[in-house]
Amino acid sequence: MASFPNVTNKVKAFSIKCSATAATPLSQSQDLEERVFNFAAGPATLPEKVLKKAQSELYNWHGSGMSVMEMSHRGKEFLSIIQKAEGDLRALLNISEDYAVLFLQGGATTQFAAIPLNIVKPEDSVDYVVTGSWGDKAFKEAQKYSKPKVIWSGKSEKYTKIPSFDSLEQTPDSKYLHICANETIHGVEFKDYPDPKNGILVADMSSNFCSKPVDVSKFGVIYAGAQKNVGPSGVTIVIIRKDLIGDAQGITPVMLDYKIHAENNSLYNTPPCFGIYMCGLVFDDLLAQGGLKEVEKKNKKKGDLLYNAIDESKGFYRCPVDKSVRSLMNVPFTLEKSELEAEFIKEAAKEKMIQLKGHRSVGGMRASIYNAMPFAGVEKLVAFMKDFQARHA
């Protein structure tokens, strides 16, 4: 780690404060003192209200005499939990009855295989738009079960852009067009979606799921790991048009067959019960906030604050992503003086802002500001960034 004796020895200890927490009641203030602002990319921060509700219900759920972790997944108690979770998710995204909602396991990475196995044959052509590491991984997995083609890749420009949809040369007989709606590592987000000339649109929405309204009817399949925006790790959500279910390849394992899970209402085997319960609490909280339009407004406000701080730093901080496709969920940035990055991360951690180190494959810093990251957390980060720049510019 680089040291800077001529600079840091003159710096007095400081503490970043922000207006949003100034008038916090004592009990809440104690909670805030104990907790950090967690900018991790996933598992990620969860809403305080949700954590406290789960805490209050942990020992004895709704007078049942047991914890959700102890319930039979086929008992009436858990059935009420999973049914409400699905109903609330349908309400949030306005999901019609033409679609099945599945609560699965294995992460979005498992879906890289499940999707071609379920909806195409080995000889079928499928198209992939690769805007980052996760799109690339999805393409490579699809090679085992179909004939995928990368029709656009941002790799040569270090995954900082999204293509013009008009310029996409789609394969004439492609069965689906796959995108990653938000690339967690590189901070690139689709603001609109391409129309497949043939087949259906498939999207990995793991890192911006339920961060804004989405017209589900434009997609054949949406899939997402829960651990970034809607719950703890261990739950994967698949939203799939029902007419796409039931024609899986013969080699498809039972646990990857959407028909099996749809017919059994996500209860073919023991599901991640507590994770689904937590997702349900998050969905309920998002509805209580006014739905995804209101959630999107809050996310834009946070994103604007952080990106403006980067853009107004006169080059001290830099975000490599094209401004038109910058993610509202994952904000990567670097320092003009790269040797200061380790010091930045270390000092931020002392100020209770953690997990700001960029992904190992790209370096730099990354602030993940998912739904549950409060505005106060972004305020505090921006105040710290300005103070750090004043001391090190």
Side-chain angles (χ1 to χ4, degrees):
M1 180 183 296
S3 60
F4 305 92
N6 295 330
V7 178
T8 54
N9 289 347
K10 299 178 182 178
V11 176
K12 294 181 179 179
F14 66 95
S15 180
I16 304 292
K17 295 183 179 179
C18 50
S19 59
T21 58
T24 309
L26 181 60
S27 61
Q28 292 182 28
S29 175
Q30 290 170 340
D31 288 340
L32 288 173
E33 283 297 314
E34 294 168 5
R35 285 179 61 78
V36 297
F37 286 121
N38 177 10
F39 292 93
T45 190
L46 285 163
E48 274 193 36
K49 288 181 181 178
V50 166
L51 291 173
K52 288 179 177 178
K53 185 171 178 62
Q55 180 185 47
S56 71
E57 296 179 344
L58 181 65
Y59 185 69
N60 183 353
W61 183 82
H62 291 203
S64 65
M66 55 186 164
S67 171
V68 173
M69 289 185 281
E70 302 169 300
M71 292 175 180
S72 165
H73 62 293
R74 305 197 189 282
K76 64 179 182 180
E77 294 87 359
F78 185 71
L79 286 179
S80 71
I81 288 171
I82 193 170
Q83 288 166 2
K84 185 178 188 305
E86 179 179 337
D88 285 350
L89 179 57
R90 285 184 180 275
L92 279 168
L93 285 169
N94 194 25
I95 304 169
S96 78
E97 288 302 319
D98 294 332
Y99 289 78
V101 174
L102 308 177
F103 294 98
L104 307 177
Q105 303 182 64
T109 302
T110 300
Q111 300 308 309
F112 296 167
I115 284 163
L117 281 169
N118 275 272
I119 61 179
V120 299
K121 302 304 179 190
E123 65 277 8
D124 285 342
S125 298
V126 292
D127 286 342
Y128 280 71
V129 174
V130 177
T131 52
S133 296
W134 295 109
D136 185 54
K137 290 175 188 290
F139 162 73
K140 288 175 179 174
E141 188 73 354
Q143 289 178 312
K144 301 173 185 176
Y145 311 110
S146 61
K147 295 192 180 304
K149 179 181 179 182
V150 175
I151 61 169
W152 188 90
S153 173
K155 187 173 184 178
S156 64
E157 296 181 85
K158 298 183 178 180
Y159 297 128
T160 55
K161 295 182 178 180
I162 284 175
S164 161
F165 300 155
D166 293 337
S167 68
L168 293 177
E169 295 184 10
Q170 298 184 39
T171 307
D173 59 349
S174 174
K175 298 295 184 182
Y176 67 74
L177 174 62
H178 181 283
I179 64 169
C180 180
N182 185 84
E183 283 283 356
T184 319
I185 294 174
H186 296 91
V188 178
E189 182 175 19
F190 281 78
K191 304 302 181 181
D192 197 3
Y193 305 104
D195 293 318
K197 291 180 180 177
N198 299 284
I200 60 167
L201 184 60
V202 175
D204 175 358
M205 291 193 179
S206 292
S207 51
N208 66 349
F209 189 63
C210 286
S211 67
K212 59 184 178 181
V214 170
D215 183 356
V216 173
S217 69
K218 287 187 174 182
F219 299 84
V221 185
I222 292 171
Y223 64 101
Q227 70 276 9
K228 302 176 186 298
N229 251 331
V230 297
S233 59
V235 180
T236 308
I237 296 166
V238 173
I239 302 168
I240 179 169
R241 216 171 63 202
K242 289 178 180 177
D243 65 308
L244 299 171
I245 298 173
D247 195 23
Q249 295 181 30
I251 64 168
T252 305
V254 167
M255 287 303 294
L256 298 190
D257 191 333
Y258 294 148
K259 185 174 185 284
I260 295 291
H261 293 295
E263 288 179 344
N264 290 275
N265 300 309
S266 302
L267 298 170
Y268 175 73
N269 72 328
T270 307
C273 296
F274 194 79
I276 293 169
Y277 158 74
M278 289 295 293
C279 288
L281 294 185
V282 172
F283 298 151
D284 189 63
D285 182 63
L286 294 174
L287 287 169
Q289 291 181 49
L292 298 187
K293 284 185 179 179
E294 292 303 313
V295 170
E296 182 182 31
K297 288 178 186 176
K298 294 176 183 178
N299 287 332
K300 284 182 175 178
K301 185 179 178 183
K302 291 184 294 184
D304 287 347
L305 180 64
L306 182 49
Y307 282 118
N308 286 342
I310 293 169
D311 293 341
E312 293 168 6
S313 70
K314 298 181 180 179
F316 188 82
Y317 301 105
R318 296 173 179 174
C319 175
V321 180
D322 187 284
K323 287 185 178 182
S324 66
V325 294
R326 284 176 170 178
S327 170
L328 290 180
M329 298 289 99
N330 310 101
V331 181
F333 60 99
T334 57
L335 282 171
E336 183 180 28
K337 301 175 182 178
S338 59
E339 67 273 14
L340 285 173
E341 289 174 357
E343 185 65 22
F344 179 98
I345 292 163
K346 181 181 177 181
E347 288 190 22
K350 288 180 180 178
E351 289 293 322
K352 297 189 175 181
M353 292 174 286
I354 67 165
Q355 298 293 330
L356 283 163
K357 187 175 182 179
H359 190 270
R360 61 187 181 277
S361 65
V362 296
M365 276 80 66
R366 173 178 55 178
S368 293
I369 51 174
Y370 299 120
N371 290 349
M373 173 57 67
F375 186 73
V378 182
E379 273 191 315
K380 184 171 182 177
L381 175 58
V382 166
F384 170 77
M385 290 168 68
K386 290 179 179 178
D387 182 90
F388 188 88
Q389 180 176 357
R391 293 182 287 116
H392 294 287

